[in-house]
Amino acid sequence: MLTLFHAPRSRSTRFLWLLEELGAPYRIEKVDIFRSMSGTGARDPRNPHPHGQVPALLDDGVLITESAAIALYLTDKFPTAGLGPMISDPHRGPYLSWLAYYAGVLEPAVTNLWKQRQDDQDKAQYAALDERLRTTLEKQPWLLGEQFSAADILFVSLLQFARQMLPAHAVYDDWLARANARPALARALAKDDLS
């Protein structure tokens, strides 16, 4: 049984969404992450994440942390759902690239923007990020073309939290609207509110 260590309205919410999209059996273990955010108080002993953060996923004693790793792990574990191309699929390379791009480029660029500590290199990287995303989505509905994937979940979940972090452009609003219309997201948000 999969266990998602979860804090409502956090980065782990995207994995409620992914698990619902996959149709995977799972249970939710609600944990407190406020200690790790504030740096004070005691760490939640129920949370196995090495830094006391979320998301963390436990699968038969195996701990997986970090959003891109969890997305890849789950889509490989449940291949028939079609949310992550398998090794023989020509979309596999782009899929892995988008997962890595999320972790290595998008999160740091948006975090620096949010914390208002962008230098010239950060601004150039942010502009390149905007250009790559925008031009991709101007040609196709999802990051992998016609196929919705876990990579879309990672990117869109950031837009759901902080739409203002990417420049105003209809292509982002349309992408967000398509994703927000998915039934699995509605089920995930209902569980997020109950957890």
Side-chain angles (χ1 to χ4, degrees):
M1 172 65 80
L2 295 167
T3 301
L4 177 66
F5 293 88
H6 172 65
R9 291 167 294 287
S10 72
R11 285 183 174 104
S12 60
T13 300
R14 65 180 63 149
F15 291 103
L16 292 175
W17 181 10
L18 179 55
L19 287 161
E20 289 294 322
E21 291 277 0
L22 293 168
Y26 68 97
R27 70 180 199 83
I28 300 168
E29 178 72 33
K30 184 179 174 186
V31 294
D32 184 9
I33 59 170
F34 293 109
R35 181 253 172 238
S36 62
M37 291 171 59
S38 68
T40 61
R43 179 181 163 158
D44 188 335
R46 296 168 299 157
N47 189 351
H49 191 291
H51 302 293
Q53 301 170 345
V54 292
L57 182 74
L58 195 61
D59 183 14
D60 289 330
V62 176
L63 180 65
I64 306 96
T65 61
E66 307 312 317
S67 290
I70 294 171
L72 181 59
Y73 183 87
L74 286 173
T75 57
D76 281 357
K77 185 172 179 76
F78 298 97
T80 58
L83 292 172
M86 295 295 97
I87 290 175
S88 60
D89 189 314
H91 289 104
R92 179 69 171 198
Y95 175 62
L96 296 177
S97 297
W98 282 116
L99 293 179
Y101 196 73
Y102 173 84
V105 178
L106 180 69
E107 279 265 350
V110 169
T111 298
N112 285 344
L113 177 64
W114 181 67
K115 291 183 176 180
Q116 298 179 346
R117 59 179 198 205
Q118 285 187 305
D119 60 21
D120 289 341
Q121 183 179 0
D122 291 326
K123 289 175 185 173
Q125 185 174 8
Y126 182 81
L129 160 71
D130 172 44
E131 175 73 14
R132 181 175 181 190
L133 270 178
R134 196 170 27 77
T135 57
T136 297
L137 294 167
E138 286 171 342
K139 295 182 281 188
Q140 56 198 39
W142 305 110
L143 293 175
L144 298 180
E146 297 299 317
Q147 178 186 357
F148 176 77
S149 72
D152 291 290
I153 290 175
L154 292 187
F155 280 80
V156 166
S157 65
L158 184 62
L159 285 180
Q160 290 165 327
F161 171 72
R163 171 60 190 93
Q164 72 278 9
M165 293 298 175
L166 286 175
H169 198 286
V171 74
Y172 295 134
D173 297 331
D174 293 345
W175 186 30
L176 187 56
R178 282 190 300 278
N180 284 340
R182 296 186 67 85
L185 176 58
R187 293 191 306 272
L189 293 176
K191 289 182 179 185
D192 185 52
D193 290 339
L194 294 175
S195 60

